[in-house]
Amino acid sequence: MRPVQRRQQGLQYGLYLLCMQAINFGVDRIPPATLIGVILQALLYTGLIKVPWNAEDACISAVKLFKYRDWRSFIVSNFEHGSDMHLYYNMVSFILKGSYLELMYGTTDFVLLLALLSFGCSTMYVFLAYVLMQFTGDYGYYTMCAIGFSSVLFALKVITICEEHDRSHDIGGLRVPSKIAVWVELALIHLLVPNSSFVGHLGGILVGCLYCYTFVGELIDNLIYMITGIPVIHEEQFYRRRNLGFR
């Protein structure tokens, strides 16, 4: 999402909806890393976590990286949000995806995977913006600025679909095959939410595809294992272990 004016402190409607959704889902059913991630991003949005930047200053763009060497935005842009409803939709999506994937991968591996996905999504966003500027001659791609967790969520959605294999998905009331679900969602969001970042969402999808369908995924799993000492367990392995009584 493109950055807007700095949020105001206080319980806005989107935050209220987020609290209600978390309660309805069951706070006790949300794994710890996912729950902490939701809480920290909500506190960051409200300003209760004091940081030395404004939300609009934290947005990521190719020009900020290549020309101004603004590496802070490369890291923090994924965790800032432009409005309370932007935060609400992203965190509800995160609760659903995190509750599935964190349970499967384990908290430690899931946290490290999130960190690597965040880095990958920022890299992909800057890369796509630069390439699009070169191919189209439109300098707007080079300067466009975006914030939000959406790109990471799109990467998580690809991974979730990959783990679930051929289950159909509900996208805006439409039942679509899993293979095209993320692409349908990308198109719908682009059409229905004009202020959304198409390049950011596309970048998240590509990062998720790299993890699921190329050798990059194996490299990331091996790196996570080297750091944590805990192997990344995917769906078939996860259910096989659970059926045998392992935890």
Side-chain angles (χ1 to χ4, degrees), residues 1-2 89 187-198 201:
M1 182 175 183
R2 298 185 185 92
Y89 286 118
L188 285 176
I189 291 178
H190 181 60
L191 292 173
L192 300 177
V193 188
N195 202 38
S196 63
S197 173
F198 179 82
H201 297 167

Side-chain angles (χ1 to χ4, degrees), residues 5 7 20 34 37 39 45 53-54 70 78 84 89 97 102 106 138 152 164 175 179 186 197 213 233 239 241:
Q5 189 174 5
R7 68 268 177 169
M20 292 300 100
T34 301
I39 292 172
Y45 172 79
W53 64 80
N54 293 320
D70 184 358
N78 286 319
D84 59 323
Y89 286 118
K97 295 172 178 64
E102 184 178 344
D138 185 352
V152 178
E164 291 179 339
R175 299 298 295 180
K179 292 181 180 179
L186 174 67
S197 173
Y213 305 118
I233 304 298
Y239 287 110
R241 286 169 61 92

Side-chain angles (χ1 to χ4, degrees), residues 209-221:
C209 288
L210 285 173
Y211 178 75
C212 288
Y213 305 118
T214 74
F215 68 92
V216 173
E218 185 176 353
L219 293 177
I220 290 176
D221 285 353

Side-chain angles (χ1 to χ4, degrees), residues 70-81:
D70 184 358
W71 298 107
R72 182 177 64 186
S73 64
F74 188 86
I75 298 171
V76 304
S77 59
N78 286 319
F79 306 103
E80 284 280 7
H81 289 84

Side-chain angles (χ1 to χ4, degrees), residues 4 6-7 51-59 72 76 80 147:
V4 297
R6 181 68 175 181
R7 68 268 177 169
V51 290
W53 64 80
N54 293 320
E56 58 269 22
D57 297 331
C59 66
R72 182 177 64 186
V76 304
E80 284 280 7
I147 56 174

